[in-house]
């Protein structure tokens, strides 16, 4: 079952301007070390960070809170599998909110997809609840 859906569209040039004005203060307030390391390896740091910004906004919407109610930017982190597929890891208050909205006997999966076409970066997040597998019978 779908628990939440969120989307966001972010202007890459806007993120580039914020990076120019606020630099590491902005980077460290919003992004995790893993996200920053990924962006530093890319030719287009602003584009990479804009996609992650959009993913965090989309995730907060899928959680039903927006960026209110105590959620922190760094409580939502985008990582990539070896295949390149993005994943979203939640910690802190975001993880607590996810647990609270997940029905008993289910586990939540956060799906994320990212795209960009300069000057835009976009993300979609879908939070899905799947039934936990039945426990193995004790013999």
């Amino acid at each position: 079952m779908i628990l939440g859906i969120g989307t966001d569209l972010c202007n890459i040039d806007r993120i580039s301007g914020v990076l120019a004005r606020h630099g590491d203060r902005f980077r460290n307030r919003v992004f995790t070390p893993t996200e920053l390391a990924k962006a530093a390896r890319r030719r287009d740091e602003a584009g990479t960070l804009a996609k992650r910004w959009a993913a965090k906004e989309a995730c907060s919407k899928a959680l039903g809170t927006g960026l209110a109610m105590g959620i922190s930017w760094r409580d939502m982190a985008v990582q990539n599998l070896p295949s390149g597929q993005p994943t979203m890891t939640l910690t802190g208050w975001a993880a607590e909110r996810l647990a609270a909205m997940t029905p008993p006997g289910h586990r939540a999966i956060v799906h994320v997809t990212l795209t960009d076409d300069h000057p835009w970066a976009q993300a979609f997040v879908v939070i899905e609840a799947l039934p936990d597998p039945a426990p193995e019978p004790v013999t």
Side-chain angles (χ1 to χ4, degrees):
M1 89 183 64
I2 303 295
L3 299 179
I5 300 172
T7 185
D8 193 65
L9 184 65
C10 179
N11 186 288
I12 296 168
D13 293 333
R14 178 175 163 247
I15 296 298
S16 183
V18 172
L19 288 168
R21 283 189 308 279
H22 301 287
D24 286 343
R25 193 173 92 209
F26 170 71
R27 285 179 186 90
N28 295 326
R29 182 175 66 89
V30 176
F31 302 102
T32 66
T34 302
E35 291 171 318
L36 292 172
K38 173 90 172 177
R41 291 190 305 270
R42 294 290 179 92
R43 181 177 27 143
D44 181 14
E45 177 192 24
T48 300
L49 294 178
K51 285 187 282 189
R52 278 143 185 81
W53 172 283
K56 291 167 188 271
E57 286 273 8
C59 185
S60 71
K61 293 171 186 174
L63 289 169
T65 64
L67 284 162
M69 300 175 61
I71 198 165
S72 167
W73 287 103
R74 291 169 50 115
D75 285 347
M76 302 166 287
V78 177
Q79 298 171 315
N80 294 86
L81 298 176
S83 66
Q85 176 184 346
T87 63
M88 179 74 74
T89 302
L90 305 182
T91 58
W93 191 90
E96 291 173 19
R97 171 69 180 149
L98 180 63
M101 64 191 285
T102 303
H106 289 74
R107 61 188 164 84
I109 298 176
V110 180
H111 303 278
V112 61
T113 187
L114 308 171
T115 191
D116 65 295
D117 187 6
H118 195 88
W120 300 106
Q122 185 173 31
F124 288 94
V125 171
V126 175
I127 301 175
E128 177 184 24
L130 296 176
D132 275 334
E136 294 292 322
V138 179
T139 56

